[in-house]
Amino acid sequence: MLVRDAMSTVVLTIGPAHTLRQAAALMSARHVGAAVVLDPDVGGIGILTERDILNSVALGQNPDTERTHAHTTNEVVFAAPTWTLEAAAGAMAHGGFRHLIVLERGEPAGIVSVRDIIRCWAPARQQIPA
């Protein structure tokens, strides 16, 4: 099975000036655990995850004043839709993260998460004893 079979094509994109509260509200409304951060000034693609927001709040930072640019991961590992799920899972395990932005022709085409991979693998690998 390939990444294109598992990825979510609903990609939440936000800007670097959004507050963490705004990002969290958008992520919650869309039921996603990560947002793609597009910074037109830098021209790069980053990712903000629920864990990034959680870490900021745990440090006592104010989610109403903290901006996403300060918490965005910019050294992103990207997946291609043609990667196998095994390759995506391996990249996640190696990098210690749970989301991969899927690029097609240089643009975000989707996001694949650990949950997406498990959802695909569970029915095929699940063997319930009789």
Side-chain angles (χ1 to χ4, degrees):
M1 191 167 273
L2 301 178
V3 164
R4 78 167 53 110
D5 302 318
M7 72 182 193
S8 171
T9 56
V10 175
V11 180
L12 172 61
T13 58
I14 61 175
H18 278 84
T19 66
L20 292 186
R21 185 172 309 279
Q22 290 170 324
L26 291 167
M27 291 164 64
S28 178
R30 300 245 179 118
H31 306 315
V32 297
V36 173
V37 181
L38 299 177
D39 189 344
D41 294 333
V42 178
I45 299 172
I47 190 166
L48 179 78
T49 67
E50 56 202 358
R51 179 147 317 174
D52 297 323
I53 297 168
L54 179 70
N55 288 339
S56 174
V57 171
L59 290 171
Q61 296 173 336
N62 185 342
D64 291 315
T65 58
E66 285 295 310
R67 302 293 172 177
T68 59
H69 70 83
H71 302 278
T72 298
T73 299
N74 293 310
E75 294 180 20
V76 179
V77 175
F78 298 102
T82 55
W83 279 20
T84 64
L85 292 185
E86 288 81 2
M92 290 178 191
H94 183 264
F97 45 80
R98 299 178 296 162
H99 299 86
L100 285 169
I101 299 172
V102 182
L103 289 185
E104 195 162 33
R105 289 181 229 108
E107 296 293 324
I111 292 184
V112 65
S113 69
V114 169
R115 181 176 291 157
D116 296 326
I117 293 171
I118 290 170
R119 196 175 296 128
C120 289
W121 282 350
R125 297 185 182 195
Q126 184 178 13
Q127 296 180 351
I128 301 172

